[in-house]
Every structure is written in C-alpha cells, then in structure tokens.
Amino acid sequence: MALGLAATLRRFHRITAVAFALGALPALALTPWSASGQPRTHKQTEKTTQTAKAQPAKAAPKQRKQKNAEPARAAAQARGDGFMIDGRWVRVDIIKGDTSLLGYAGKAPAVLILHGSHGLGDGSLFYPQAKALADRGISAFVVHYFDGLSEARKASPALHDQREKVIASAISYVSKLGYVDSDKIGVFGLSLGGFHALSLGSRDARVQAVVNMFGAMPAEVQRKGIDRMPPTLVLHGDRDRIVPVRKAHELESLLKDVGADYEMKIYNGEGHAFKGAAKDDSIARTTDFFERHLGTDRGLLDKPIELDLALAPMVPEKDTLPIRAFTIADELGNVQANPAAAAAAAPAADADLTPEEAKAEAGMIDLPPMEEGTPIN
C-alpha cells in the first residue's frame, strides 16, 4: 500500500513538472532578450520601442528644381504665341528681327531655337542668342516643343519621332508668318535640341542652316542613310560628359562624307554648357553663321564699304583725258567775236549790260588764258 502511494506521488510530481514546463514556454517566448542573451527589462524594451518610432523614414529622392527663365525672356522682349497640334497648345516665344534700318517691312530670315532635355533652365543659353539674332534682322522663335507631348518622360528616345513631328509643325507655323522669308529658315539646337536640329536638317529641305551645340546625329537617322546636310556649325566642349566630344568628331566625318559646308569649334575646358567668354563667343559665332548662310540686308549695312581701287580705270600721267578742255580763253574769245550774242545769253540780272560792259566784266576774271589741249589734273 505504501509503495503504491509513493508511486502515485512520483507520477503526480512528473505530471506537475511537465505542466509547469508547458505553461512557462509561451511566457519565455514573449520575453525580449538583450544582445548578451539576458532577457531585457521593461525599461530597456520601452526605450527600444521609442527609438524605433523616432527613426525617420527613408527620404524620397529630391525633385530637380525648375529654374525660372522669365527674367531672360523679359530681357529679350519676347512675345508669346503658339500653335495647336493634336489638341495641344505649343508655346512659342517670338523675338522679332529688327528691320528698322532697312527702311521697309518686308520678309526676313528666321531661326527656330530648340531647348535640351531639361527644358529652358534659366533661359540664359537661349534668349540672349535669340536677341543677338534679332539685332541682326533675323527673327528668332524659342519653341517649347515638349508642350506637344502627352507622355511624362518627354525626353525619352522612344519619343523621338513624336518630338520631331512637333518641331516640323513649328517650322510650318513660322513659315506662314507674313514677316518671315520661308526660303531662309535655320534651326539652332542645344543638347537634345541639337539632335533634332541635325535630324531635321538632313531630312527637311525647308531647313537652310543648322547650328548644333552639344548634340549629335541620332543613330537611327544615320542607319536610314543621310544624303544631304545644309550648312552646319558644330559647337562642343572637350569636357562634355553628357555627350562626349568624340560625337562632334564623328559628326564632322559625316558632314565631310556628304559634302556639306560646315564649321566646327571645340572649346577647351568646357563641359555641357558654355560659360563666360566661351558663351559669348558661341553666341557671336552662331549669329555670324546664320547671317552668312541665311542672308540679311542688315549684314550689308553693318559692314564698312570698301572700294577696290584696282578696278578703277587708270590714266597714265603723260596722257590727257580724251575730252576737249574748255578754257576761259574760249569764253573770252566768244565775247570778243560776238559781243551782241554774249550779251543776249547773259542772265536776266545782267540784261541791261551793253556789249562793251559785258566785255569789260569778262575781263575782270584774273586768270591767265589756257591754251587748248592743256591737261586738267
């Protein structure tokens, strides 16, 4: 009996121990542990929770700040206008050429100005160039060609043809303006705009001159083949990391292959935007280039007149001019030979002079008589 009771007690203790162990495990699983393997106190757990709440979330990438081009636009005295394409309004800033010195309100050349993939920025690479052209009598048109696209990534290579459609429509818009000579249209493009200026120049016969700054010929256009290029000016910086300068040299080879009239200027130490003296020089070069290849009467007015003396007829010193020299002796002889006729030919104020008085007045000319045939120098 005693043995039976002892066995029962041992069995009870084992069941109790197992039950305790099973009941304690959930509590142990919910207990926070420190890095040393010891369970954390309540204060340590609360501190960790507060720290986690205080830690800021990962910052979102900063959006590119859009610069304001309005001051440069206002300085160029641009006038806003535009045109519609596929239900969208495309803005065009017009800086009309100054033709005041030409004395007429006729048609003049025009240049479309195309911005890069980041838009106009502060406008300092576009509106001063437009103003310089306008001062030479060339109307400039800053085209906001991104306005014609509905997609978000407007500079995407996949949208090349859509952008080109908008720019081609801009050329049509400019060509129809009453003060624009549609046979004298040029395109200036910077970066992405330079790609489009070159592409249009190779395929659109309305483009008579191109200035490419920091751009290159699109690879797709080259694959299709290029047969022509209008006169082209290439401006690039040798430290350009966006469009490497080797692209400018590749473009030069292409221009040579198609027999294009071209000029190229590589600026040492300049990147993907000209500054200071390089910027001023690029504006002057671009303006001179368009003036030469599009032609303006203002260009003739601004240039000093030079006479080529080599084209003037030369008379040897020993020869006389092939005309009969009229001498005072001839006049005196006429008076002496026919005094009445001389008096009749005299002006009305001298109508009362007698032939003798007329002869005496003629004798007051105190010059020696000249013989016929005397050279006149």
Side-chain angles (χ1 to χ4, degrees):
M1 182 71 179
L3 292 174
L5 180 60
T8 301
L9 290 175
R10 285 197 298 272
R11 187 180 296 111
F12 175 78
H13 285 307
R14 285 198 297 270
I15 294 172
T16 303
V18 170
F20 174 80
L22 292 175
L25 286 175
L28 293 175
L30 295 175
T31 303
W33 293 79
S34 67
S36 62
Q38 299 296 324
R40 292 176 177 173
T41 64
H42 175 72
K43 291 185 178 180
Q44 287 176 326
T45 303
E46 183 179 5
K47 182 178 179 181
T48 302
T49 304
Q50 292 176 351
T51 303
K53 291 181 179 179
Q55 185 176 0
K58 187 176 181 181
K62 291 184 178 180
Q63 297 293 327
R64 177 181 291 272
K65 185 178 179 180
Q66 293 296 322
K67 297 181 180 179
N68 184 12
E70 186 56 32
R73 182 181 183 275
Q77 299 179 337
R79 176 176 63 85
D81 201 356
F83 61 94
M84 294 291 295
I85 180 171
D86 297 333
R88 288 180 287 273
W89 178 257
V90 178
R91 293 168 294 164
V92 178
D93 293 325
I94 303 174
I95 301 88
K96 190 175 179 181
D98 180 9
T99 58
S100 60
L101 294 181
L102 304 181
Y104 73 98
K107 297 183 177 182
V111 170
L112 281 72
I113 295 180
L114 308 178
H115 59 72
S117 60
H118 294 304
L120 292 170
D122 62 2
S124 62
L125 296 176
F126 305 99
Y127 292 105
Q129 179 65 76
K131 184 66 168 59
L133 290 168
D135 289 343
R136 299 280 187 93
I138 301 174
S139 293
F141 300 83
V142 180
V143 182
H144 300 247
Y145 59 96
F146 278 178
D147 289 353
L149 306 178
S150 60
E151 290 80 3
R153 298 181 64 242
K154 300 181 185 297
S156 169
L159 300 180
H160 173 87
D161 290 345
Q162 294 186 40
R163 290 191 298 268
E164 199 131 297
K165 178 183 176 181
V166 177
I167 299 169
S169 297
I171 295 177
S172 298
Y173 158 76
V174 169
S175 300
K176 295 176 182 177
L177 296 175
Y179 54 88
V180 169
D181 187 342
S182 59
D183 293 328
K184 296 180 178 180
I185 292 181
V187 180
F188 166 92
L190 184 147
S191 191
L192 178 63
F195 280 81
H196 284 292
L198 292 167
S199 175
L200 282 165
S202 70
R203 299 190 285 183
D204 194 327
R206 296 176 298 176
V207 179
Q208 296 297 306
V210 167
V211 173
N212 161 54
M213 185 181 291
F214 313 130
M217 183 66 76
E220 181 181 354
V221 176
Q222 293 190 59
R223 284 194 296 269
K224 293 179 180 179
I226 298 174
D227 299 325
R228 66 164 308 262
M229 276 298 294
T232 302
L233 172 62
V234 181
L235 304 174
H236 219 104
D238 66 351
R239 293 189 179 181
D240 191 336
R241 296 183 180 180
I242 306 299
V243 181
V245 70
R246 63 178 174 81
K247 290 293 185 180
H249 295 295
E250 291 174 2
L251 176 59
E252 181 182 23
S253 298
L254 173 63
L255 295 171
K256 287 181 178 179
D257 291 342
V258 299
D261 180 1
Y262 78 94
E263 301 173 28
M264 186 167 76
K265 170 66 176 178
I266 304 299
Y267 292 85
N268 294 329
E270 294 294 321
H272 200 65
F274 293 145
K275 300 177 181 178
K279 176 183 172 182
D280 294 340
D281 182 77
S282 70
I283 291 176
R285 283 179 185 271
T286 296
T287 305
D288 291 343
F289 178 84
F290 279 128
E291 186 177 66
R292 285 196 306 274
H293 291 285
L294 298 180
T296 63
D297 294 331
R298 170 62 62 83
L300 297 177
L301 291 175
D302 289 342
K303 295 177 182 178
I305 298 176
E306 297 181 0
L307 297 178
D308 191 349
L309 297 178
L311 300 178
M314 300 297 294
V315 179
E317 293 183 1
K318 63 181 181 178
D319 294 339
T320 59
L321 293 175
I323 60 173
R324 183 180 183 275
F326 181 79
T327 64
I328 296 176
D330 294 328
E331 182 64 21
L332 292 175
N334 292 336
V335 172
Q336 293 172 353
N338 193 350
D350 297 333
D352 295 335
L353 293 178
T354 65
E356 290 75 12
E357 291 172 336
K359 180 179 179 180
E361 185 171 312
M364 293 175 63
I365 301 176
D366 189 18
L367 287 174
M370 299 176 66
E371 297 181 358
E372 183 177 338
T374 303
I376 299 176
N377 295 326

